[in-house]
Amino acid sequence: MKRFCILILLLISILSIPGFAAIDLKVQGSIYSEISSRPGNLLSAGSRVKMFSELTRSGNYPVKVRIWGLNQKAGHLNRFDATSRLNLENIVDWIEVRYSGNLLPNGLKATLAVGNVEIDYSPYTISLIDDALSDYPSNYLHHRGLKLSDLNIAGFSTSSFILWGFNDPLKNVIGGQISRQLGGTKLTGTIVDYRWRVEEVENKVIQTLLSNPNQKSELAWQQVQGIEVEQQLGQLGHISIFIGKQDENMFLKTDDIVQQKSINVLRDYEWSLPLEEEWLLNLGYRKIPAGYDPLFRDRTPE
């Protein structure tokens, strides 16, 4: 009920802003029949139902609100040989308001988004996308944030953001990306920084672990840095080099509380060569350390 009250107040405030186009209501749904084999000689069979509605509005301030009625995810199947009764969930899982235009009276164009924002810098640093319609979503949608993107300054394209929703107002993620095109070369730098924004963070983390007997670990901070170089080679195709570095400070609780700091470096090299109109040759090499695991990396199985 609280979520619906917030949604109604939001829509009323949006409707009161002049210069908006009409609100579009879209209702979609699907029913899947699935038979799959899983490890351990397990056979899964049944049907899965999805149903949601979206309220969208165009104009200077685009708006998107999505309400789920049913969302049976992977593993939640109805049996073919049984009658199932499903209760409507009525869960609002996406509210986003955007503005694209001048930030200052004299210019400085950019896009400002608040609410459920998408931040897709790299699958190795942060890939926060709206994948709720996927059968295997990333479960990142409970985070909210503020994102500034499409900002061009002195030939550099920049983006920055802040995310919250970590069960504590003192925790958040801030980051950004900057890129520059120089002829056939493109350089991109990325930083994503998660931490407790308090002094003496180690003492704060230790007290948190001591006050929660069932909690076995707590991440004090994690910083991910990435640099990518892309080069066009004409008829020889395209090469890209990506290097990511993850620094983190983790506290583990066993018989005692142990601090565990780590640094992991990921390397990804790829060469792409078009052969014909519908053929592309990709050759690549990746070295991903076992400890390289950013909070918002792309976890799609490959």
Side-chain angles (χ1 to χ4, degrees), residues 146-194:
L146 180 69
K147 177 186 176 183
L148 180 67
S149 59
D150 303 325
L151 180 61
N152 295 301
I153 302 176
F156 290 88
S157 179
T158 66
S159 172
S160 58
F161 69 90
I162 179 172
L163 294 175
W164 55 85
F166 297 92
N167 301 320
D168 192 308
L170 299 177
K171 299 179 187 178
N172 59 42
V173 176
I174 61 174
Q177 186 177 78
I178 184 170
S179 63
R180 178 72 182 270
Q181 186 80 39
L182 299 171
T185 304
K186 183 178 180 181
L187 305 174
T188 303
T190 302
I191 185 169
V192 180
D193 186 271
Y194 162 86

Side-chain angles (χ1 to χ4, degrees), residues 195 200-206 209 216-221 248-254 256-262:
R195 66 182 65 234
E200 299 183 352
V201 62
E202 289 82 2
N203 292 334
K204 174 70 174 177
V205 173
I206 291 174
L209 289 173
K216 300 300 181 183
S217 64
E218 178 66 38
L219 182 61
W221 53 261
E248 73 174 26
N249 186 6
M250 176 74 76
F251 285 77
L252 306 174
K253 182 169 63 176
T254 54
D256 198 0
I257 296 179
V258 180
Q259 185 179 23
Q260 180 177 296
K261 292 185 177 181
S262 63

Side-chain angles (χ1 to χ4, degrees), residues 274-286:
L275 299 179
E276 293 184 10
E277 291 184 0
E278 299 182 357
W279 291 88
L280 181 68
L281 174 65
N282 285 325
L283 297 176
Y285 168 78
R286 278 181 295 184

Side-chain angles (χ1 to χ4, degrees), residues 5 23 33 39 42 52 66 70 80 93 104 110 119 122 148 168 177 186 189 204-205 209 253 275:
C5 292
I23 287 182
S33 293
L42 296 177
F52 69 95
R66 181 173 58 216
L70 295 171
F80 291 131
D93 81 326
L104 300 176
I119 306 168
S122 163
L148 180 67
D168 192 308
Q177 186 177 78
K186 183 178 180 181
K204 174 70 174 177
V205 173
L209 289 173
K253 182 169 63 176
L275 299 179

Side-chain angles (χ1 to χ4, degrees), residues 210-223:
L210 291 176
S211 60
N212 295 276
N214 296 326
Q215 187 174 351
K216 300 300 181 183
S217 64
E218 178 66 38
L219 182 61
W221 53 261
Q222 181 188 94
Q223 186 176 98

Side-chain angles (χ1 to χ4, degrees), residues 125 190-192 223-227 242-247 292:
T125 55
T190 302
I191 185 169
V192 180
Q223 186 176 98
V224 181
Q225 304 169 14
I227 184 168
F242 177 86
I243 298 177
K245 178 186 175 186
Q246 174 188 311
D247 296 87
Y292 190 90

